[in-house]
Each structure stands twice: as structure tokens, then as C-alpha cells.
Amino acid sequence: MNTKIEKILGSEASFYLDHVCRKIDKSLIHAPSSDTVDRLWVGTDRNVRTLCSLQTLLGHGRLAGTGYLSILPVDQGIEHTAGASFAPNPLYFDPENIVRLAIEGGCNAVASTFGVLGAVARRYAHRIPFIVKLNHNELVSYPNTYNQVMFGTVEEAWNMGAVAVGATVYFGSPESRAQLVEVAGAFERAHELGMATILWCYLRNGAFKKDGTDYHAAADLTGQADHLGVTIQADIVKQKLPSGNGGFRAVGFGKTSDAMYDLTTDHPIDLCRYQVANGYMGRVGLINSGGESHGADDLHDAVVTAVVNKRAGGMGLISGRKAFQRPMSEGVELLHAIQDVYLDRDITGAGGDRRGTRIKRRSCFSSPVTETACGAFRGGFRSPRNVTGVRLPRPGGGRLRHGTSGRPSVEPPAPDAERPTVRLAGRRARGGQKNNSA
């Protein structure tokens, strides 16, 4: 056990590290591991390029090859106003410093806006995986609503080299059904282009505050939001760590049963496991958000969230404000502390001795799929190559073009019905024999 983690947890160490989940057994959970893509995704309808993108996310940073994710998200400039978000450290008004923090912090990826990532794409898209957030709820309109608006297209994200796209649906809001349709269409297109998809499954409705209690993070409501998210084929879902339960019954809507509430207890790990269960028992990974910054308690709170997520069967943490609303060196330290939880083999899924089965470490090049289709590797990020070392074609046969700036960019491929079939002549096959079949 990492003694630093126990020291950060302090008197709460046993509460979080020794808890045994006796409701949903850990044997039912598809926990993250080094072969997550091969074990959980190869048999799905995701195309090879999407599998490669998922492996790329899992093959970068300090957590490479573990099956876990540490992501730096910085979209708060739109979601919470730039002034309020970056005033604690104005350094991060500059997009380059956001990406630098993700790289120096050992993150698997950086998630941000079209503007932030587009401003530095040519310099950094090959150095760390990009996740482009497609939609936002800007706070200048008054009165503000819970409407998420698309700020760009999936093709734009693909063209700047993004490995994945993200989007938010405000479940429970009047606008949520339109958002579901819009985001489902965007995710379908992203998968066609070979990008992974991440859904911010958040709740927004004034009625979810009842008799002085806020149920926006209740396990039953957030769990159902997660279940709707995986239904529109999100590859990963982002959710707040649950606090409490019984939102459906307190507000007085939806369908519930006593058995449903018997699947968990009031322990944070059990509540979080209920969220994991709603993501097809962990087949679709759950990453919990780090939440807002509270100053001196941020390191403790971040480590607690990571321990809860990991022991519940989650896939990782996506922490932004706690990391960037402080000096960069302290932000790097906080991100590393989060990652240390997932690197500690003695912190295992709740349901048995915390010093039980350890994670077997393997290179992400551990199967024919990842060897031939994936360019990710431990501690770095490169363009896809096959086993012979030959660079693979661009996804779907995209071609170079020159934009108005005079710099080359890449056109997304046409739909299959419009894509011409081209047969290559004169290429040498792997065995060295010339292929004259054309």
C-alpha cells in the first residue's frame, strides 16, 4: 500500500480502503484491466479505428496499460465563465498552458473546447490525445436555460486530430430529449470516423431539490442517467460521484422498487458501484468528476474520489478545477496523487480483501488487434502503424487538401456509398512477392 495515500486519507483510510461491498458483488463487474479493449470492445459493433482510438486513450500517460484513465477537462471557460474559472490562476487563459498541464501531469488525454484545442492542435495533437467537447451551455444568455448548444461539428474535431469527442446531456431538463437525439447522431458520426465518445451525464431540474435536499447527485437518478448515456453508445460516461439516494421517490416520479434500493447502502463505494452497474456492469467505463476546488482540501477530496471510483469498479477520474485553479506544479502533484491510486495494486475492487488480486500489467501491444490497429504505446503517442512498420492510411481514406490558410488539412472521408473503390497495383506483399492482382 502506498503510505502517502493512507496519509492523505488520514482517519478515513480504513473506511474507504477496507470496505467490503456485499450488495453487488465485484465478480459481476467488468473491472478495467490492461486488456480492456480486447476483452470488452472487440466483440462490439465499434469499427477498428474506434478500437484504436480507445486503445490510444488507454495507452498514454502514467496510467498507460492499466485500463484506467486520468483526464484533464478544461471547458469551464464556457460552462462557468472564463473569468470565474481562470482568475485563481490567469496562466490558463492561454490554451497552451492547459495542454502543458495535461502532459506534465501524466494524463491520458486533455478534454477541452474547439477553440482551446484548435489553437494548439498542430503543436500538440500528436503529443497527447485530444478530446473535443462538442456542446456547451454558455452563461451569457439571460435568463439562463439548461440547453446545450453544438459549438462545432464532428468533422472539425476529426480534422484537428482528435482521438475522441465529448458531449453533455442535461437529463431531467425540458431540453434533454432534443439533446439526446442530437448527441446520438453526433456519436454515430464520430464512430464512423473512428473516434471514441464520452458523455457527460449530468442532471438539471429545479424540482430535483426537495425539502432542502439536493438530489442532483442521488445514486438512483445519476445511475439512470448513466444507463441512458450508454444506450446512445457512449464509450465512456462521466458522472458526478453520488451523494445519497432516493431521488425518484423524494421528487415523486419515475418507476422504482424496494429491490432497486436494496442493491446499495449509504457507503460511497456502494453508491458508486450502482452507477457502474448501470453502465452495463462496467462494460462502458465510468469516470467520476473531480468537482469544484475547495482550496486546502482538494488533494484529500481528489484522492477520496479516486479510491471510491476504483474500488467501485470505475474507470478513472476526470479532474479539472482542482488541478488548474492553483500553481502548475501543485496541479501536477494533485494529478499524480490521483493516478497513484490507480497505480497501487493493493487498492482493489470492494468485495474482498483490499490486498487481494493484483492487476496484471501488460503492454498495450498485447494482442493481434492492438498490434495491428493501434499506434498507442506506454508513455507516448504516435500515428498508427501496422506490424511491418508501414504507416497505415488515414481513417476511411481521407485526403489532404489546402485550406484558406494555405496549410494542409485533411478532409473527412465520404460516406461509404460515395467512396470510390481503389485497387492498388505494384505493391509488394508482406512476404516480398509482388502483387499483380489488379
Side-chain angles (χ1 to χ4, degrees):
M1 170 63 62
N2 187 324
T3 56
K4 182 179 179 181
I5 294 173
E6 290 185 308
K7 183 177 180 181
I8 292 172
L9 294 175
S11 61
E12 299 174 322
S14 180
F15 178 75
Y16 290 110
L17 296 174
D18 294 326
H19 175 70
V20 175
C21 181
R22 303 188 187 280
K23 294 295 183 176
I24 301 175
D25 192 78
K26 72 175 183 179
S27 64
L28 301 176
I29 301 296
H30 299 280
S33 63
S34 59
D35 61 349
T36 290
V37 173
D38 297 330
R39 182 168 49 88
L40 299 180
W41 288 106
V42 166
T44 70
D45 63 353
R46 307 305 195 262
N47 60 35
V48 172
R49 284 296 177 188
T50 301
L51 298 180
C52 179
S53 293
L54 287 166
Q55 188 66 50
T56 298
L57 288 173
L58 293 167
H60 188 81
R62 293 184 73 224
L63 298 184
T66 66
Y68 292 103
L69 292 172
S70 169
I71 298 172
L72 177 71
V74 187
D75 61 346
Q76 291 84 354
I78 298 175
E79 297 284 349
H80 303 285
T81 77
S85 300
F86 302 134
N89 191 351
L91 188 74
Y92 293 109
F93 274 107
D94 185 341
E96 185 168 15
N97 290 321
I98 293 172
V99 179
R100 282 183 53 216
L101 174 61
I103 293 174
E104 294 181 22
C107 293
N108 297 72
V110 57
S112 196
T113 66
F114 280 100
V116 166
L117 297 179
V120 295
R122 291 184 182 275
R123 177 167 293 182
Y124 288 105
H126 62 291
R127 295 180 60 185
I128 184 170
F130 278 11
I131 301 169
V132 177
K133 185 74 181 344
L134 298 174
N135 64 359
H136 305 279
N137 181 30
E138 50 81 22
L139 292 181
V140 177
S141 299
Y142 183 83
N144 192 236
T145 65
Y146 299 134
N147 197 19
Q148 290 279 327
V149 178
M150 288 287 181
F151 273 55
T153 66
V154 174
E155 286 78 9
E156 288 178 83
W158 185 86
N159 199 38
M160 75 167 65
V163 169
V165 295
T168 298
V169 171
Y170 279 151
F171 293 101
S173 71
E175 299 87 355
S176 63
R177 291 187 175 181
Q179 292 168 17
L180 271 171
V181 174
E182 188 173 44
V183 172
F187 280 7
E188 180 184 15
R189 181 57 176 151
H191 282 151
E192 288 176 354
L193 294 175
M195 291 186 287
T197 58
I198 304 174
L199 188 65
W200 276 238
C201 295
Y202 286 166
L203 296 165
R204 289 291 188 278
N205 194 309
F208 292 169
K209 295 181 179 180
K210 187 80 170 178
D211 299 329
T213 302
D214 191 345
Y215 291 96
H216 278 92
D220 55 349
L221 295 180
T222 55
Q224 183 60 23
D226 291 349
H227 196 71
L228 292 173
V230 300
T231 302
I232 63 170
Q233 292 207 320
D235 301 322
I236 300 165
V237 293
K238 175 192 176 187
Q239 184 56 269
K240 294 182 178 181
L241 200 67
S243 59
N245 207 350
F248 277 121
R249 289 184 169 178
V251 178
F253 80 114
K255 289 183 178 291
T256 63
S257 71
D258 292 339
M260 164 182 166
Y261 292 102
D262 192 46
L263 291 175
T264 185
T265 70
D266 291 335
H267 196 286
I269 293 174
D270 291 345
L271 293 171
C272 187
R273 179 159 292 181
Y274 183 78
Q275 291 182 335
V276 173
N278 274 276
Y280 301 150
M281 282 294 185
R283 286 181 179 272
V284 176
L286 168 71
I287 54 175
N288 288 117
S289 54
E292 63 182 308
S293 174
H294 294 109
D297 294 331
D298 283 351
L299 181 62
H300 169 270
D301 294 347
V303 169
V304 165
T305 305
V307 170
V308 170
N309 172 272
K310 183 180 182 182
R311 300 210 68 219
M315 193 180 196
L317 214 60
I318 180 165
S319 184
R321 284 171 287 176
K322 282 182 169 62
F324 71 76
Q325 290 184 339
R326 55 187 359 96
M328 185 175 289
S329 60
E330 295 180 15
V332 169
E333 180 183 0
L334 184 141
L335 290 169
H336 285 180
I338 290 170
Q339 293 153 13
D340 286 343
V341 172
Y342 294 98
L343 291 170
D344 193 322
R345 298 183 180 188
D346 288 330
I347 301 177
T348 63
D353 185 353
R354 66 183 169 110
R355 300 181 184 277
T357 305
R358 296 189 175 193
I359 299 170
K360 182 180 179 182
R361 308 276 174 171
R362 298 194 305 177
S363 165
C364 66
F365 286 137
S366 59
S367 74
V369 171
T370 52
E371 285 183 328
T372 58
C374 178
F377 64 99
R378 185 173 179 85
F381 180 48
R382 68 184 183 190
S383 300
R385 295 174 183 269
N386 63 19
V387 292
T388 64
V390 178
R391 189 176 298 278
L392 296 170
R394 293 180 181 84
R399 61 185 184 277
L400 288 174
R401 63 177 173 82
H402 286 273
T404 55
S405 64
R407 295 180 178 179
S409 56
V410 180
E411 288 184 350
D416 291 339
E418 303 173 12
R419 193 177 301 159
T421 300
V422 179
R423 301 185 69 183
L424 301 178
R427 293 275 183 157
R428 292 193 179 274
R430 183 177 295 180
Q433 297 300 318
K434 191 171 183 179
N435 181 4
N436 294 314
S437 60

